[in-house]
Amino acid sequence: MAQLEQIAAPGSEWWRSAVIYQIYPRSFADASGDGIGDLPGITSRLDALKDLGVDAIWLSPFMTSPQRDAGYDVADYRDVDPLFGTLADFDEMLAQAHARGIRVIVDLVPNHSSDQHVWFQEALRAAPGSPERARYIFRDGRGTNGELPPNNWESVFGGGMWERITEPDGTPGQWYLHIFDVTQPDFDWTNEEVREEFRSVLRFWLDRGVDGFRVDVAHGMVKEEGLPDYTPVADADSMGGGEENVPYWGQVGVHDIYRDWHEVLAEYDGDRALCGEAWLPTLKQTALWVRPDEMHQTFNFPYLMTKWDAKALGRVIRESLEEFGAVGAPSTWVLSNHDVVRHSTRLALTADNPQGEGIGPNTPDKPDTATGLARGRAATTLMLALPGSAYLYQGEELGLPEAMEIPDEFRQDPTWFRTDHERYGRDGCRVPLPWEADAVAFGFNDTGASWLPQPAEWADYARDVEEGDETSTLSLYKQLLAARRKHGFGSGSLVWEDAGADAVAFRRGDVHVVANLGTKPVALPADATVILRSQPFDGTALPVDTAVWYTTA
Ligand code: GLC
């Protein structure tokens, strides 16, 4: 770990300012050649991430799973799915990352397990009211014969949130709750046995040397007592980003769990960290997740969801710094992940696009690729100048757009199936990465197999093409990460500046940062010396959809 200690400034925890790169293991690099990425694939490509300049990686789930929700349905929390390799492959990947000074965060999925988890299988075989059933949320149905679900809740992936089982004696039985797919039963977090099991799972990975956890659906683990009926407002974000008082999102009981986990992590050296995935309606509420004795970070989804609008963007940044600052936590910044439309496409959408809806061949008014890329690059240029920790999602450093033309027969997101093909879901942001333009599967593996088809035009985005081009998105990201580190932008504060109503502008020390979100160029001072720009421009006017870092004489 010697290299790692040199990264964080003395006295500061690394996660406060780190740039953390999300690896979606299925789609990063595939050493086995079966068309699905794996841990040895990740190990083989770590040098590219070292070269990019990230401080840490977060891996989406690679644990044993039937893959009904791409690994977010875990059947064994203490083992690696054979698709991705073995525990020894994990240990090797971790050691190789650490040897390069890159920390490693793993995904923990505590809201629900797979229906193939041994506990759920035991629950199905046991009787109503048994300790085995009590690990999950089983209830009798309503109606004369229990034929109606216990309440009216709707699953995030579409359809109802309850599934009726057949009891071991063959009779129609109880119902179990699943916020997500029917194969993802929710644990009952009021049960101490569940709590103890997850303390032990945390220790299992901490003992192996992981630097922290990204906690899946951190805001869903506790449900309101009595499970009251609830009807979401029309067009509500299904993950809870838009509404107050939802009986299965953001219940106060979750905070006890995080306090407990905080203590578990504190038993270990090296500033291990928890980052919560919590889609909450306000930043004030989001900041409660990162009070000093709870999680260390939480994703700033209000920032991610902000449209390409200067006023809205300025407001969300201001509010983030205020609200997270008030609890002594860094803000995080994030624009893309495996659940949302890639930001180099999303920022050019003309209609709203809630989390997880996806876009596809029949989406009207498809966003323009060039506009999207320009905005995506400008947004990142602004983001990486902000104080706090930033999350990047694999492929955004190549400027990858959302894959919008995936043929229906390849789609795998449960959202697509549970909504009867009404919502495309998230496959478009999960397509395997292009590494080499001239190789089969663009170098994702050496067999040409790919679990989702890669668009032919992705040859232009391949890493080896972008490596050699100083105007490429990859070159921009490398410059941004190096300059961010050099100027210490991950910590400290900013001073707001005024560059007109259509721009977001602030100063970090003597570096001025401006993004133009309007429709006319924004004038820069005559003595501006450009350090970095999201795309080439001449003269002293900042073009639309462009961001710049500059100093003055
Ligand atoms: C989180 C994950 C998402 C998954 C869901 C259910 O939102 O990011 O990919 O489908 O949880 O586990």
Side-chain angles (χ1 to χ4, degrees):
M1 295 288 278
Q3 297 90 329
L4 296 180
E5 305 312 329
Q6 291 158 18
I7 289 176
S12 68
E13 300 98 332
W14 67 275
W15 44 264
R16 290 186 176 272
S17 56
V19 175
I20 303 171
Y21 180 97
Q22 179 187 357
I23 292 185
Y24 195 64
R26 298 175 76 82
S27 301
F28 186 72
D30 173 23
S32 73
D34 64 355
I36 298 183
D38 46 41
L39 295 170
I42 296 172
T43 308
S44 74
R45 295 290 192 176
L46 284 171
D47 284 337
L49 300 182
K50 168 89 183 147
D51 197 38
L52 178 61
V54 300
D55 302 305
I57 52 180
W58 145 39
L59 269 62
S60 282
F62 49 81
M63 294 82 187
T64 312
S65 161
Q67 305 291 318
R68 296 295 294 267
D69 183 22
Y72 283 95
D73 48 324
V74 179
D76 182 349
Y77 289 87
R78 296 182 184 80
D79 207 351
V80 171
D81 195 279
L83 263 184
F84 300 115
T86 61
L87 272 174
D89 293 330
F90 176 80
D91 292 340
E92 173 66 8
M93 189 276 306
L94 185 71
Q96 291 292 336
H98 281 169
R100 288 166 178 76
I102 298 174
R103 296 180 193 262
V104 177
I105 291 176
V106 297
D107 220 307
L108 182 76
V109 188
N111 178 70
H112 47 264
S113 70
S114 158
D115 63 352
Q116 300 307 307
H117 190 285
V118 60
W119 274 11
F120 192 73
Q121 290 301 314
E122 284 172 12
L124 290 179
R125 287 194 298 269
S130 61
E132 289 83 357
R133 290 247 167 125
R135 294 160 176 161
Y136 293 90
I137 304 179
F138 278 89
R139 293 288 183 277
D140 293 332
R142 295 191 283 199
T144 341
N145 300 307
E147 70 280 11
L148 299 172
N151 70 22
N152 71 346
W153 296 356
E154 295 280 317
S155 153
V156 169
F157 291 158
M161 220 191 257
W162 293 94
E163 181 72 8
R164 192 170 198 190
I165 66 160
T166 302
E167 297 295 347
D169 66 4
T171 57
Q174 287 195 301
W175 299 70
Y176 67 87
L177 183 81
H178 60 92
I179 289 190
F180 296 92
D181 191 54
V182 63
T183 61
Q184 294 168 295
D186 282 45
F187 284 114
D188 185 343
W189 274 90
T190 64
N191 183 335
E192 176 53 30
E193 197 186 353
V194 172
R195 294 186 179 225
E196 187 49 34
E197 169 65 3
F198 273 89
R199 282 182 207 114
S200 149
V201 169
L202 287 174
R203 291 198 175 96
F204 177 85
W205 294 103
L206 290 165
D207 288 341
R208 297 197 100 81
V210 305
D211 299 285
F213 301 89
R214 176 265 189 190
V215 182
D216 190 60
V217 198
H219 60 319
M221 293 156 68
V222 173
K223 282 78 181 171
E224 189 177 327
E225 222 183 304
L227 311 178
D229 273 354
Y230 173 72
T231 307
V233 296
D235 296 330
D237 163 28
S238 56
M239 282 294 279
E243 288 164 279
E244 311 261 2
N245 307 322
V246 183
Y248 40 90
W249 296 137
Q251 296 292 307
V252 289
V254 293
H255 295 286
D256 274 354
I257 304 171
Y258 307 148
R259 292 198 180 98
D260 188 34
W261 290 4
H262 187 103
E263 306 264 296
V264 174
L265 267 70
E267 292 165 13
Y268 290 79
D269 61 0
D271 293 330
R272 317 283 176 117
L274 293 166
C275 178
E277 188 215 18
W279 297 81
L280 295 159
T282 64
L283 277 158
K284 203 179 236 357
Q285 244 176 296
T286 309
L288 297 179
W289 259 240
V290 286
R291 286 175 288 191
D293 58 346
E294 298 197 29
M295 298 227 183
H296 305 85
Q297 297 185 328
T298 184
F299 291 105
N300 189 339
F301 290 127
Y303 173 75
L304 180 151
M305 303 289 275
T306 302
K307 280 194 232 159
W308 192 240
D309 173 88
K311 218 164 135 192
L313 190 58
R315 195 184 314 121
V316 76
I317 296 172
R318 228 176 264 268
E319 210 188 310
S320 302
L321 295 172
E322 239 169 68
E323 296 296 349
F324 287 106
V327 293
S331 179
T332 59
W333 309 103
V334 59
L335 289 165
S336 282
N337 66 30
H338 66 293
D339 289 328
V340 299
V341 174
R342 283 185 175 279
H343 75 276
S344 59
T345 297
R346 190 182 72 238
L347 293 175
L349 281 172
T350 47
D352 278 346
N353 185 258
Q355 189 271 345
E357 294 274 295
I359 51 182
N362 295 326
T363 302
D365 300 330
K366 280 200 210 132
D368 174 63
T369 311
T371 307
L373 183 58
R375 290 182 181 174
R377 289 170 57 137
T380 305
T381 301
L382 187 84
M383 176 177 90
L384 289 175
L386 291 169
S389 171
Y391 276 81
L392 306 178
Y393 175 50
Q394 68 178 38
E396 67 168 87
E397 76 279 21
L398 304 173
L400 284 187
E402 184 82 356
M404 285 183 277
E405 307 299 332
I406 299 174
D408 290 356
E409 64 268 28
F410 289 100
R411 294 198 175 271
Q412 301 209 10
D413 188 343
T415 307
W416 169 250
F417 300 105
R418 289 188 60 86
T419 62
D420 260 340
H421 304 183
E422 189 191 313
R423 283 158 50 187
Y424 284 108
R426 305 158 295 176
D427 291 323
C429 63
R430 299 176 171 181
V431 173
L433 293 188
W435 292 87
E436 285 113 29
D438 295 330
V440 291
F442 299 133
F444 170 59
N445 54 28
D446 56 16
T447 60
S450 178
W451 71 281
L452 286 172
Q454 298 164 299
E457 61 276 16
W458 279 21
D460 297 343
Y461 297 87
R463 193 168 302 253
D464 67 339
V465 171
E466 295 205 14
E467 288 284 0
D469 174 2
E470 62 180 28
T471 66
S472 71
T473 307
L474 181 60
S475 297
L476 173 67
Y477 270 67
K478 284 188 191 173
Q479 289 163 30
L480 283 166
L481 290 172
R484 175 188 158 91
R485 182 170 299 199
K486 177 176 149 207
H487 293 287
F489 281 177
S491 48
S493 55
L494 57 75
V495 178
W496 289 100
E497 297 197 303
D498 184 5
D502 289 331
V504 175
F506 53 80
R507 188 165 59 73
R508 305 289 323 266
D510 55 4
V511 178
H512 304 265
V513 178
V514 187
N516 181 358
L517 288 77
T519 52
K520 290 190 294 289
V522 167
L524 297 178
D527 60 347
T529 305
V530 171
I531 304 178
L532 264 168
R533 54 203 177 163
S534 63
Q535 58 184 337
F537 63 91
D538 298 324
T540 52
L542 183 66
V544 298
D545 297 337
T546 308
V548 65
W549 298 11
Y550 70 88
T551 52
T552 52

